[in-house]
Amino acid sequence: VQLVESGGGSVQAGGSLRLSCASSEPTFSRRCMGWFRQAPGKEREGVAAIRSDGTTSYADSVKGRFTISKDNAKNTVYLQMNSLKPEGTAMYYCAGRTDGNCGVWYLTTTSAFQYWGQGTQVTVS
């Protein structure tokens, strides 16, 4: 399975970006997908996840500002990021599970996700 992220870049505080992650998995619609981020010198942390049935979960730090969604026809998951803050500067990674279940707990551990993209850099100044 290949996950390819895009959409990162530089933005001023308060601005918005939309990240995309295209999956090569033919059964994408039945998988839980998530977004993680890793700032320099820090551990990778979960940001958002979406179950196969479309139910979403978010880290408290992004709740109300970020929105995860997916398009099963395009095998793509998105992360809409609004009201970005400088502490949001990080490499953002797309991740996938081998089943459709996920929730807030799954965002607390990277080992819950089996597939990872290469990441896309987001810089907020």
Side-chain angles (χ1 to χ4, degrees):
V1 176
Q2 287 189 323
L3 302 176
V4 180
E5 302 98 332
S6 61
S10 297
V11 64
Q12 291 188 335
S16 299
L17 281 175
R18 188 175 84 152
L19 306 183
S20 299
C21 170
S23 172
S24 66
E25 187 175 18
T27 56
F28 170 85
S29 65
R30 301 204 295 264
R31 306 301 180 214
C32 162
M33 299 297 296
W35 286 96
F36 284 69
R37 65 186 179 187
Q38 187 167 18
K42 294 189 176 182
E43 292 188 353
R44 194 170 297 189
E45 63 174 1
V47 175
I50 185 165
R51 285 174 35 158
S52 57
D53 66 0
T55 303
T56 58
S57 301
Y58 298 93
D60 287 343
S61 58
V62 305
K63 203 172 292 183
R65 298 186 298 118
F66 289 14
T67 302
I68 187 171
S69 62
K70 63 175 181 170
D71 186 335
N72 289 332
K74 296 182 178 180
N75 277 20
T76 300
V77 60
Y78 304 97
L79 185 67
Q80 177 67 44
M81 305 185 294
N82 299 329
S83 303
L84 281 162
K85 304 177 181 179
E87 52 264 41
T89 294
M91 186 71 79
Y92 283 72
Y93 296 91
C94 176
R97 284 179 48 80
T98 54
D99 62 43
N101 295 319
C102 57
V104 172
W105 181 87
Y106 292 81
L107 294 176
T108 66
T109 174
T110 57
S111 63
F113 289 80
Q114 290 76 44
Y115 308 117
W116 293 86
Q118 294 300 307
T120 184
Q121 178 68 39
V122 172
T123 302
V124 186
S125 60

